[in-house]
């Protein structure tokens, strides 16, 4: 609950919003002189075109102005994914959907303000009862406050669709327009059972940023809240009829948003802040350079969590600050090169990751030079290995190893088949070590990261293979079910590189290292 001072501040901010809405939505002289036929034609066009609707009625949202002079800097248009989402919602009367968008990409603006009003002001009204769900009833009421300000003070909406303020039912968190559309705020976990406005039940429910870091640390709370969303909240619709929408970014894999994305029949829209080339998906919003500056300031982990739907959770063996990058030397400068292969048992893509990790030793340092960490077929992995082998400069030798348990007919057949195509066989050897338990082995080499002996190839920093490998490494802990193919392959390569330095007769001793009790 908000304190009296917080409520006073929130109300003052809302009044400023109302003033801004009124000032920045004037009806131009040319519009005011329209004939009734011209006005009707213009409104019909806006009703059918979401981007045009937003640009005309909400210039205060889509115009960047100088904070001192108030001059227009530039107009920010909807991104294609905004318009696609709006049409999906409009054209699907009975919709269950999750819109997984990054921070700063107008989730609340579109689903809590623009879209409800677009549906409300169609020639045949598509929304009658909206429920906004937030972390608390106060936060949900603030979400509705934005749409309330538009209905009461947006001059262009009033000029085209009439005065909507209903003096008898116009309170914070719950109000009803003169045209009969009801709006209600609900906090997470509150009972929405029996929600109705006379004969009407909600037909547009939007759940906005329900997850937070504290909630996601408690698996039982996440499970209980997911049940509340699916049962009590979804049950507030008229036997599932209506638009049931959740918006947010994936801050944790243990979250209500993650659970809803897995639910059967749910449409999932996933938008990442930048594409595979590093360009922003909302180009009117910011430049590539601005996005990179934000990523550099936040750091890899926070950027991945807030903007790329890739929350990296620490395990208890490795720490994020131990991951170091540098520009690596030429391959012919290394004392020894080893590529270790962990192919997983199955040949399909819907199973464990397959990992190939090329490591080099130079002096006392160990460098991860190249990597392949994918849910791929065995043949896809084999092709990557052959391509790596063929890319090696003349005179450079790489020792390829794979665990003996994997040197089975089905996997060897893939190597042989690819070799026949290429005209030679890849020189891969079996790792016949009698290995201790996997976690024990990986714990045994983790001090090399801690002491700064391990470096990653800077040029591959933002590639999916590198990122997945780092995620697996950081998430590793005893009893965890996370994928561990990359750190397992790292241990194998490092064992052979270290063996070359200490002599073939040296027998490694694996010591279980107790991890310090801390938040990481």
């Amino acid at each position: 609950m908000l304190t009296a001072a917080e409520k006073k501040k929130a109300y003052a901010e809302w009044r400023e919003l109302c003033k801004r809405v009124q000032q920045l939505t004037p009806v131009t002289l040319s519009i005011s002189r329209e004939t009734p036929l011209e006005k009707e034609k213009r409104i019909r066009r806006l009703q059918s075109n979401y981007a045009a609707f937003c640009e005309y009625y909400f210039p205060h949202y889509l115009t960047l102005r100088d904070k001192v002079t108030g001059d227009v800097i530039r107009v920010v248009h909807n991104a294609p994914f905004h318009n696609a989402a709006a049409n999906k919602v409009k054209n699907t009367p009975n919709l269950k959907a999750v819109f997984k968008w990054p921070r700063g990409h107008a989730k609340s603006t579109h689903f809590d303000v623009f879209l409800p009003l677009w549906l409300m002001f169609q020639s045949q009204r598509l929304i009658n009862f909206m429920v906004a769900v937030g972390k608390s009833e106060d936060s949900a009421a603030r979400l509705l406050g934005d749409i309330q300000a538009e209905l009461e003070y947006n001059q262009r909406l009033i000029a085209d669709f009439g005065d909507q303020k209903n003096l008898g039912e116009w309170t914070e968190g719950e109000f009803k327009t003169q045209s009969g559309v009801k709006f209600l705020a609900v906090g997470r976990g509150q009972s929405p059972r029996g929600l109705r406005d006379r004969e009407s039940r909600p037909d547009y429910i939007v759940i906005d940023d329900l997850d937070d870091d504290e909630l996601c640390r408690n698996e039982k709370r996440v499970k209980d809240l997911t049940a509340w969303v699916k049962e009590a909240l979804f049950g507030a619709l008229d036997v599932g009829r209506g638009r049931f929408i959740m918006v947010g970014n994936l801050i944790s894999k243990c979250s209500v948003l993650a659970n809803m994305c897995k639910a059967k029949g749910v449409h999932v829209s996933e938008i990442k802040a930048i594409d595979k080339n590093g360009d922003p998906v909302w180009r009117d919003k910011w430049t590539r350079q601005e996005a990179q500056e934000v990523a550099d300031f936040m750091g890899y982990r926070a950027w991945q969590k807030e903007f790329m739907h890739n929350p990296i959770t620490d395990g208890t063996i490795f720490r994020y600050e131990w991951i170091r990058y540098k520009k690596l030397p030429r391959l012919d400068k290394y004392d020894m090169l080893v590529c270790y292969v962990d192919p997983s048992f199955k040949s399909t893509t819907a199973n464990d990751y397959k990992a190939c990790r090329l490591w080099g030793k130079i002096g006392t340092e160990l460098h991860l030079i190249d990597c392949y960490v994918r849910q791929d077929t065995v043949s896809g992995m084999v092709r990557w290995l052959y391509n790596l082998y063929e890319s090696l400069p003349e005179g450079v030798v790489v020792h390829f190893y794979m665990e003996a348990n994997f040197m089975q007919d089905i996997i060897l057949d893939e190597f042989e088949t690819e070799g026949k195509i290429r005209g030679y066989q890849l020189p891969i050897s079996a790792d016949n070590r009698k290995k201790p338990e996997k976690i024990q082995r990986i714990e045994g080499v983790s001090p090399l990261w801690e002491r700064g002996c391990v470096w990653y190839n800077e040029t591959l920093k933002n590639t999916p293979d590198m990122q997945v490998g780092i995620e697996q490494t950081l998430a590793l802990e005893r009893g965890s079910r996370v994928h561990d193919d990359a750190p397992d392959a790292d241990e194998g390569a490092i064992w052979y590189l270290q063996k070359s330095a200490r002599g073939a007769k040296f027998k490694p001793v694996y010591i279980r290292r107790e991890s310090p009790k801390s938040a990481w």
Side-chain angles (χ1 to χ4, degrees):
M1 294 291 292
L2 295 177
T3 64
E6 288 171 334
K7 287 185 177 180
K8 183 177 180 180
K9 180 182 178 182
Y11 181 72
E13 291 173 349
W14 184 77
R15 293 300 306 173
E16 281 297 313
L17 171 65
C18 293
K19 181 180 178 181
R20 183 166 172 263
V21 170
Q22 191 171 39
Q23 288 177 341
L24 297 178
T25 56
V27 177
T28 62
L29 185 62
S30 61
I31 296 295
S32 65
R33 291 177 175 175
E34 287 177 328
T35 66
L37 185 60
E38 289 172 335
K39 179 179 180 179
E40 181 181 1
K41 184 178 179 180
R42 175 178 55 81
I43 292 175
R44 293 290 178 268
R45 179 180 66 83
L46 298 176
Q47 289 170 331
S48 64
N49 187 319
Y50 181 69
F53 182 91
C54 295
E55 289 176 15
Y56 177 69
Y57 292 111
F58 311 115
H60 44 299
Y61 279 97
L62 299 176
T63 304
L64 293 182
R65 296 176 179 270
D66 187 283
K67 293 182 179 180
V68 178
T69 65
D71 295 337
V72 175
I73 299 175
R74 72 173 184 267
V75 175
V76 179
H77 300 284
N78 286 357
F81 63 86
H82 292 135
N83 300 327
N87 287 312
K88 175 68 177 180
V89 173
K90 179 185 178 184
N91 297 327
T92 315
N94 299 324
L95 175 68
K96 298 182 289 293
V98 174
F99 292 89
K100 190 166 58 171
W101 294 357
R103 294 291 183 203
H105 282 63
K107 300 184 295 291
S108 298
T109 299
H110 282 273
F111 292 97
D112 299 349
V113 182
F114 293 1
L115 245 172
L117 292 177
W118 191 48
L119 298 177
M120 175 181 169
F121 291 125
Q122 292 295 311
S123 54
Q124 184 176 354
R125 194 165 70 200
L126 299 179
I127 183 173
N128 294 289
F129 190 167
M130 171 179 169
V131 175
V133 184
K135 292 183 178 70
S136 66
E137 188 174 358
D138 288 325
S139 67
R142 287 196 296 275
L143 295 174
L144 281 187
D146 291 345
I147 200 169
Q148 197 170 17
E150 298 298 329
L151 290 169
E152 188 173 352
Y153 291 97
N154 189 310
Q155 296 182 66
R156 295 183 180 183
L157 286 175
I158 294 170
D160 285 349
F161 303 108
D163 190 0
Q164 297 297 319
K165 183 175 181 180
N166 188 340
L167 294 177
E169 299 185 64
W170 204 255
T171 59
E172 180 186 7
E174 183 174 2
F175 57 94
K176 189 174 183 179
T177 67
Q178 287 193 29
S179 60
V181 180
K182 177 76 177 283
F183 296 87
L184 179 66
V186 172
R188 72 183 181 193
Q190 289 183 315
S191 176
R193 296 185 187 277
L195 286 181
R196 63 173 65 239
D197 181 50
R198 295 182 181 177
E199 75 285 353
S200 298
R201 284 184 173 272
D203 56 4
Y204 185 95
I205 297 178
V206 58
I207 310 162
D208 194 315
D209 273 336
L210 202 65
D211 296 306
D212 57 38
D213 292 330
E214 181 183 3
L215 171 73
C216 294
R217 285 192 287 267
N218 190 319
E219 188 173 350
K220 185 179 185 305
R221 287 186 63 198
V222 169
K223 182 178 178 181
D224 291 345
L225 193 56
T226 302
W228 175 80
V229 169
K230 287 186 171 183
E231 297 168 13
L233 193 56
F234 182 70
L237 298 175
D238 184 12
V239 293
R241 296 190 185 100
R243 295 166 172 91
F244 190 75
I245 296 167
M246 186 172 192
V247 301
N249 63 315
L250 188 67
I251 64 172
S252 172
K253 293 178 181 178
C254 176
S255 62
V256 180
L257 187 89
N259 292 342
M260 292 300 294
C261 287
K262 298 173 186 175
K264 186 176 181 180
V266 172
H267 167 77
V268 178
S269 165
E270 179 180 281
I271 299 296
K272 297 180 179 180
I274 58 174
D275 61 22
K276 63 182 180 180
N277 298 317
D279 294 316
V281 295
W282 191 4
R283 299 189 179 185
D284 280 0
K285 174 76 174 183
W286 55 350
T287 64
R288 180 189 179 113
Q289 181 180 351
E290 288 172 327
Q292 187 60 55
E293 289 172 354
V294 170
D296 291 342
F297 176 79
M298 295 180 70
Y300 176 77
R301 175 182 302 219
W303 169 261
Q304 289 293 313
K305 173 184 173 183
E306 300 293 343
F307 287 90
M308 300 298 287
H309 309 301
N310 181 31
I312 299 174
T313 304
D314 276 348
T316 57
I317 300 176
F318 294 88
R319 297 180 63 168
Y320 178 72
E321 53 264 35
W322 298 352
I323 307 298
R324 303 173 177 90
Y325 298 90
K326 67 161 52 176
K327 185 178 180 180
L328 302 186
R330 300 196 319 263
L331 293 182
D332 59 7
K333 297 296 183 181
Y334 285 93
D335 304 329
M336 184 179 180
L337 297 164
V338 170
C339 182
Y340 198 95
V341 182
D342 185 344
S344 78
F345 281 102
K346 297 182 180 179
S347 179
T348 59
T349 59
N351 48 70
D352 286 343
Y353 284 79
K354 293 168 176 59
C356 308
R357 313 280 279 181
L358 175 61
W359 284 84
K361 183 178 184 301
I362 183 167
T364 60
E365 290 186 1
L366 298 164
H367 296 170
L368 178 62
I369 301 166
D370 205 349
C371 55
Y372 167 100
V373 188
R374 303 174 194 174
Q375 288 176 307
D376 199 357
T377 61
V378 171
S379 59
M381 179 198 73
V382 170
R383 283 194 297 273
W384 187 90
L385 287 166
Y386 270 90
N387 290 340
L388 171 67
Y389 185 76
E390 292 179 0
S391 71
L392 298 174
E394 188 174 350
V396 170
V397 176
V398 172
H399 301 273
F400 290 85
Y401 289 96
M402 185 163 61
E403 186 175 342
N405 291 343
F406 290 117
M407 301 290 279
Q408 306 164 25
D409 291 342
I410 184 171
I411 293 179
L412 291 179
D413 286 347
E414 296 282 358
F415 279 96
E416 185 177 355
T417 299
E418 187 69 22
K420 289 179 179 177
I421 295 173
R422 309 255 183 166
Y424 64 93
Q425 293 297 315
L426 189 74
I428 188 164
S429 303
D431 177 8
N432 290 305
R433 291 179 292 159
K434 293 182 179 180
K435 299 181 181 180
E437 179 215 2
K438 182 188 297 186
I439 292 295
Q440 184 180 346
R441 288 188 284 106
I442 297 173
E443 281 182 330
V445 298
S446 64
L448 296 171
W449 273 256
E450 186 176 7
R451 296 202 304 265
C453 300
V454 172
W455 294 85
Y456 290 72
N457 190 344
E458 187 177 67
T459 61
L460 302 180
K461 184 175 182 179
N462 295 315
T463 62
D465 296 285
M466 181 68 81
Q467 292 172 10
V468 172
I470 290 172
E471 181 179 351
Q472 290 186 4
T473 301
L474 294 176
L476 195 65
E477 62 184 351
R478 287 187 174 273
S480 171
R481 296 183 179 180
V482 300
H483 295 290
D484 56 12
D485 309 273
D488 191 22
D490 292 340
E491 184 278 331
I494 289 171
W495 191 91
Y496 279 100
L497 290 173
Q498 297 287 72
K499 177 185 175 183
S500 71
R502 62 181 179 256
K505 294 183 179 180
F506 181 82
K507 294 184 178 180
V509 177
Y510 292 93
I511 301 174
R512 179 175 178 179
R513 182 169 63 91
E514 295 295 332
S515 301
K517 295 180 179 179
S518 68
W520 54 267

PDB file of all heavy atoms in Angstrom, residues 109-123:
ATOM      1  N   THR A 109       2.415   1.014 -22.547  1.00  0.00           N
ATOM      2  CA  THR A 109       1.797   2.063 -23.355  1.00  0.00           C
ATOM      3  C   THR A 109       0.814   1.483 -24.354  1.00  0.00           C
ATOM      4  O   THR A 109      -0.319   1.976 -24.496  1.00  0.00           O
ATOM      5  CB  THR A 109       2.882   2.862 -24.097  1.00  0.00           C
ATOM      6  OG1 THR A 109       3.748   3.471 -23.134  1.00  0.00           O
ATOM      7  CG2 THR A 109       2.264   3.938 -24.975  1.00  0.00           C
ATOM      8  N   HIS A 110       1.214   0.420 -25.023  1.00  0.00           N
ATOM      9  CA  HIS A 110       0.336  -0.151 -26.051  1.00  0.00           C
ATOM     10  C   HIS A 110      -0.797  -0.985 -25.458  1.00  0.00           C
ATOM     11  O   HIS A 110      -1.969  -0.796 -25.824  1.00  0.00           O
ATOM     12  CB  HIS A 110       1.154  -0.976 -27.045  1.00  0.00           C
ATOM     13  CG  HIS A 110       1.891  -0.130 -28.030  1.00  0.00           C
ATOM     14  ND1 HIS A 110       1.333   0.306 -29.211  1.00  0.00           N
ATOM     15  CD2 HIS A 110       3.151   0.400 -27.995  1.00  0.00           C
ATOM     16  CE1 HIS A 110       2.198   1.053 -29.867  1.00  0.00           C
ATOM     17  NE2 HIS A 110       3.315   1.124 -29.155  1.00  0.00           N
ATOM     18  N   PHE A 111      -0.486  -1.884 -24.552  1.00  0.00           N
ATOM     19  CA  PHE A 111      -1.517  -2.819 -24.079  1.00  0.00           C
ATOM     20  C   PHE A 111      -2.402  -2.242 -22.984  1.00  0.00           C
ATOM     21  O   PHE A 111      -3.511  -2.741 -22.763  1.00  0.00           O
ATOM     22  CB  PHE A 111      -0.862  -4.120 -23.616  1.00  0.00           C
ATOM     23  CG  PHE A 111      -0.264  -4.904 -24.735  1.00  0.00           C
ATOM     24  CD1 PHE A 111       1.082  -4.826 -25.028  1.00  0.00           C
ATOM     25  CD2 PHE A 111      -1.069  -5.699 -25.543  1.00  0.00           C
ATOM     26  CE1 PHE A 111       1.625  -5.536 -26.088  1.00  0.00           C
ATOM     27  CE2 PHE A 111      -0.530  -6.411 -26.611  1.00  0.00           C
ATOM     28  CZ  PHE A 111       0.821  -6.330 -26.884  1.00  0.00           C
ATOM     29  N   ASP A 112      -1.930  -1.181 -22.310  1.00  0.00           N
ATOM     30  CA  ASP A 112      -2.736  -0.575 -21.251  1.00  0.00           C
ATOM     31  C   ASP A 112      -3.438   0.702 -21.689  1.00  0.00           C
ATOM     32  O   ASP A 112      -4.364   1.157 -21.016  1.00  0.00           O
ATOM     33  CB  ASP A 112      -1.861  -0.242 -20.037  1.00  0.00           C
ATOM     34  CG  ASP A 112      -1.204  -1.470 -19.445  1.00  0.00           C
ATOM     35  OD1 ASP A 112      -1.579  -2.588 -19.824  1.00  0.00           O
ATOM     36  OD2 ASP A 112      -0.299  -1.308 -18.608  1.00  0.00           O
ATOM     37  N   VAL A 113      -2.985   1.314 -22.791  1.00  0.00           N
ATOM     38  CA  VAL A 113      -3.565   2.592 -23.211  1.00  0.00           C
ATOM     39  C   VAL A 113      -4.020   2.549 -24.677  1.00  0.00           C
ATOM     40  O   VAL A 113      -5.210   2.602 -24.975  1.00  0.00           O
ATOM     41  CB  VAL A 113      -2.555   3.752 -23.005  1.00  0.00           C
ATOM     42  CG1 VAL A 113      -3.199   5.082 -23.393  1.00  0.00           C
ATOM     43  CG2 VAL A 113      -2.089   3.808 -21.552  1.00  0.00           C
ATOM     44  N   PHE A 114      -3.056   2.459 -25.596  1.00  0.00           N
ATOM     45  CA  PHE A 114      -3.386   2.583 -27.014  1.00  0.00           C
ATOM     46  C   PHE A 114      -4.380   1.516 -27.476  1.00  0.00           C
ATOM     47  O   PHE A 114      -5.412   1.826 -28.093  1.00  0.00           O
ATOM     48  CB  PHE A 114      -2.116   2.483 -27.867  1.00  0.00           C
ATOM     49  CG  PHE A 114      -1.139   3.616 -27.713  1.00  0.00           C
ATOM     50  CD1 PHE A 114      -1.369   4.659 -26.829  1.00  0.00           C
ATOM     51  CD2 PHE A 114       0.034   3.642 -28.457  1.00  0.00           C
ATOM     52  CE1 PHE A 114      -0.464   5.702 -26.688  1.00  0.00           C
ATOM     53  CE2 PHE A 114       0.947   4.679 -28.330  1.00  0.00           C
ATOM     54  CZ  PHE A 114       0.710   5.702 -27.435  1.00  0.00           C
ATOM     55  N   LEU A 115      -4.040   0.254 -27.205  1.00  0.00           N
ATOM     56  CA  LEU A 115      -4.864  -0.842 -27.727  1.00  0.00           C
ATOM     57  C   LEU A 115      -6.284  -0.857 -27.154  1.00  0.00           C
ATOM     58  O   LEU A 115      -7.256  -1.006 -27.908  1.00  0.00           O
ATOM     59  CB  LEU A 115      -4.165  -2.175 -27.452  1.00  0.00           C
ATOM     60  CG  LEU A 115      -3.711  -2.966 -28.670  1.00  0.00           C
ATOM     61  CD1 LEU A 115      -2.861  -4.148 -28.264  1.00  0.00           C
ATOM     62  CD2 LEU A 115      -4.904  -3.429 -29.478  1.00  0.00           C
ATOM     63  N   PRO A 116      -6.466  -0.712 -25.833  1.00  0.00           N
ATOM     64  CA  PRO A 116      -7.835  -0.678 -25.309  1.00  0.00           C
ATOM     65  C   PRO A 116      -8.673   0.444 -25.928  1.00  0.00           C
ATOM     66  O   PRO A 116      -9.862   0.245 -26.233  1.00  0.00           O
ATOM     67  CB  PRO A 116      -7.631  -0.460 -23.808  1.00  0.00           C
ATOM     68  CG  PRO A 116      -6.275  -0.980 -23.526  1.00  0.00           C
ATOM     69  CD  PRO A 116      -5.469  -0.693 -24.748  1.00  0.00           C
ATOM     70  N   LEU A 117      -8.044   1.611 -26.119  1.00  0.00           N
ATOM     71  CA  LEU A 117      -8.799   2.717 -26.707  1.00  0.00           C
ATOM     72  C   LEU A 117      -9.097   2.459 -28.181  1.00  0.00           C
ATOM     73  O   LEU A 117     -10.167   2.823 -28.686  1.00  0.00           O
ATOM     74  CB  LEU A 117      -8.024   4.027 -26.530  1.00  0.00           C
ATOM     75  CG  LEU A 117      -7.903   4.514 -25.079  1.00  0.00           C
ATOM     76  CD1 LEU A 117      -7.053   5.770 -25.003  1.00  0.00           C
ATOM     77  CD2 LEU A 117      -9.283   4.768 -24.481  1.00  0.00           C
ATOM     78  N   TRP A 118      -8.177   1.840 -28.889  1.00  0.00           N
ATOM     79  CA  TRP A 118      -8.423   1.496 -30.290  1.00  0.00           C
ATOM     80  C   TRP A 118      -9.599   0.526 -30.391  1.00  0.00           C
ATOM     81  O   TRP A 118     -10.466   0.678 -31.258  1.00  0.00           O
ATOM     82  CB  TRP A 118      -7.154   0.881 -30.892  1.00  0.00           C
ATOM     83  CG  TRP A 118      -7.168   0.719 -32.381  1.00  0.00           C
ATOM     84  CD1 TRP A 118      -7.536   1.660 -33.302  1.00  0.00           C
ATOM     85  CD2 TRP A 118      -6.783  -0.436 -33.123  1.00  0.00           C
ATOM     86  NE1 TRP A 118      -7.393   1.152 -34.582  1.00  0.00           N
ATOM     87  CE2 TRP A 118      -6.929  -0.132 -34.496  1.00  0.00           C
ATOM     88  CE3 TRP A 118      -6.311  -1.691 -32.764  1.00  0.00           C
ATOM     89  CZ2 TRP A 118      -6.643  -1.038 -35.499  1.00  0.00           C
ATOM     90  CZ3 TRP A 118      -6.000  -2.597 -33.761  1.00  0.00           C
ATOM     91  CH2 TRP A 118      -6.166  -2.287 -35.111  1.00  0.00           C
ATOM     92  N   LEU A 119      -9.624  -0.461 -29.509  1.00  0.00           N
ATOM     93  CA  LEU A 119     -10.735  -1.425 -29.517  1.00  0.00           C
ATOM     94  C   LEU A 119     -12.036  -0.759 -29.083  1.00  0.00           C
ATOM     95  O   LEU A 119     -13.115  -1.060 -29.617  1.00  0.00           O
ATOM     96  CB  LEU A 119     -10.410  -2.597 -28.592  1.00  0.00           C
ATOM     97  CG  LEU A 119      -9.188  -3.439 -28.942  1.00  0.00           C
ATOM     98  CD1 LEU A 119      -8.962  -4.512 -27.881  1.00  0.00           C
ATOM     99  CD2 LEU A 119      -9.325  -4.072 -30.318  1.00  0.00           C
ATOM    100  N   MET A 120     -11.934   0.126 -28.125  1.00  0.00           N
ATOM    101  CA  MET A 120     -13.131   0.799 -27.596  1.00  0.00           C
ATOM    102  C   MET A 120     -13.776   1.696 -28.641  1.00  0.00           C
ATOM    103  O   MET A 120     -15.011   1.790 -28.728  1.00  0.00           O
ATOM    104  CB  MET A 120     -12.728   1.623 -26.377  1.00  0.00           C
ATOM    105  CG  MET A 120     -13.829   2.478 -25.789  1.00  0.00           C
ATOM    106  SD  MET A 120     -13.205   3.414 -24.369  1.00  0.00           S
ATOM    107  CE  MET A 120     -14.579   4.543 -24.096  1.00  0.00           C
ATOM    108  N   PHE A 121     -12.957   2.359 -29.461  1.00  0.00           N
ATOM    109  CA  PHE A 121     -13.484   3.337 -30.404  1.00  0.00           C
ATOM    110  C   PHE A 121     -13.607   2.785 -31.822  1.00  0.00           C
ATOM    111  O   PHE A 121     -13.606   3.543 -32.792  1.00  0.00           O
ATOM    112  CB  PHE A 121     -12.612   4.593 -30.390  1.00  0.00           C
ATOM    113  CG  PHE A 121     -12.720   5.378 -29.116  1.00  0.00           C
ATOM    114  CD1 PHE A 121     -11.592   5.692 -28.372  1.00  0.00           C
ATOM    115  CD2 PHE A 121     -13.956   5.783 -28.635  1.00  0.00           C
ATOM    116  CE1 PHE A 121     -11.682   6.400 -27.193  1.00  0.00           C
ATOM    117  CE2 PHE A 121     -14.066   6.507 -27.452  1.00  0.00           C
ATOM    118  CZ  PHE A 121     -12.931   6.812 -26.725  1.00  0.00           C
ATOM    119  N   GLN A 122     -13.722   1.481 -31.970  1.00  0.00           N
ATOM    120  CA  GLN A 122     -14.077   0.908 -33.263  1.00  0.00           C
ATOM    121  C   GLN A 122     -15.541   1.212 -33.565  1.00  0.00           C
ATOM    122  O   GLN A 122     -16.340   1.466 -32.658  1.00  0.00           O
ATOM    123  CB  GLN A 122     -13.849  -0.596 -33.260  1.00  0.00           C
ATOM    124  CG  GLN A 122     -12.391  -1.018 -33.171  1.00  0.00           C
ATOM    125  CD  GLN A 122     -11.577  -0.611 -34.386  1.00  0.00           C
ATOM    126  OE1 GLN A 122     -11.977  -0.852 -35.526  1.00  0.00           O
ATOM    127  NE2 GLN A 122     -10.431   0.028 -34.157  1.00  0.00           N
ATOM    128  N   SER A 123     -15.888   1.168 -34.837  1.00  0.00           N
ATOM    129  CA  SER A 123     -17.288   1.438 -35.196  1.00  0.00           C
ATOM    130  C   SER A 123     -18.226   0.447 -34.517  1.00  0.00           C
ATOM    131  O   SER A 123     -19.350   0.790 -34.118  1.00  0.00           O
ATOM    132  CB  SER A 123     -17.460   1.378 -36.717  1.00  0.00           C
ATOM    133  OG  SER A 123     -16.985   0.138 -37.219  1.00  0.00           O
TER     134      SER A 123
END
